[in-house]
Structures are given as C-alpha cells and as structure tokens.
Amino acid sequence: MWETFQVIMIVAPIFLIILIGYGFGRLRPGSGNSDKLINDYVLYIALPALLFLAIARADISELKQWGFIGASLVGIGIVYLLGMLIAKIMVMY
C-alpha cells in the first residue's frame, strides 16, 4: 500500500503539468510560437537538468545494471548495422 502511494506522489506532478498544458492549449489555441518556446525549454534545459540530477543523486550500485547496459548496446549495434546495410542497398540501386 505504501509503495502505491509513493508511486502516485511521484507521478502526480507529471500528470498535473500535462493537464495544465492541455488546459492552456484548449483555452488559448492561437497562442503563436509559445508551444515551440515551451518545447525548446523542456528539450534543451529542463530535461537535461532533470537527468543530470537523477544520475547525480543515484547510488552507484543502482547504475551498475550490466544486463540492461549490455542489452541496450546490442540493440543499438543491431539497428546501426541494419541501417548501414539498408544504406548500402539503396546506394546500389
């Protein structure tokens, strides 16, 4: 029960921000370039800062998940090789 409450307290602010953004968009649909400004802020400032803080506060043992890291690297390698193969095939034709 306590874990459920903790999850709700973590996720609730995120959904609240989404709800506020949705409401703002519905009330002011012709707000000009404000959506680009908000997207740029989130992409280039807020999200990198949030990721940095999350990693900086994490315990080193939480970051050592070799199975996840290995699976991610294998997936990235497979997608890279498929992309290279498709690019070579497209250049041939």
Side-chain angles (χ1 to χ4, degrees):
M1 181 72 176
W2 177 249
E3 291 86 16
T4 304
F5 180 73
Q6 286 179 326
V7 170
I8 291 172
M9 293 306 293
I10 291 170
V11 175
I14 296 169
F15 283 106
L16 183 62
I17 290 172
I18 292 171
L19 183 64
I20 291 170
Y22 175 77
F24 180 75
R26 295 292 286 177
L27 290 174
R28 303 182 68 182
S31 59
N33 291 333
S34 62
D35 56 344
K36 183 177 178 352
L37 178 67
I38 293 170
N39 285 337
D40 288 346
Y41 167 74
V42 169
L43 183 64
Y44 296 116
I45 297 172
L47 190 58
L50 179 65
L51 291 173
F52 176 78
L53 287 175
I55 292 173
R57 292 178 181 165
D59 186 23
I60 194 71
S61 64
E62 294 174 358
L63 299 176
K64 290 182 180 178
Q65 298 182 7
W66 300 114
F68 175 74
I69 294 170
S72 297
L73 291 176
V74 168
I76 291 169
I78 290 171
V79 170
Y80 176 78
L81 291 174
L82 285 174
M84 292 293 290
L85 181 66
I86 291 170
K88 285 190 178 207
I89 291 173
M90 291 180 73
V91 168
M92 295 170 96
Y93 294 106

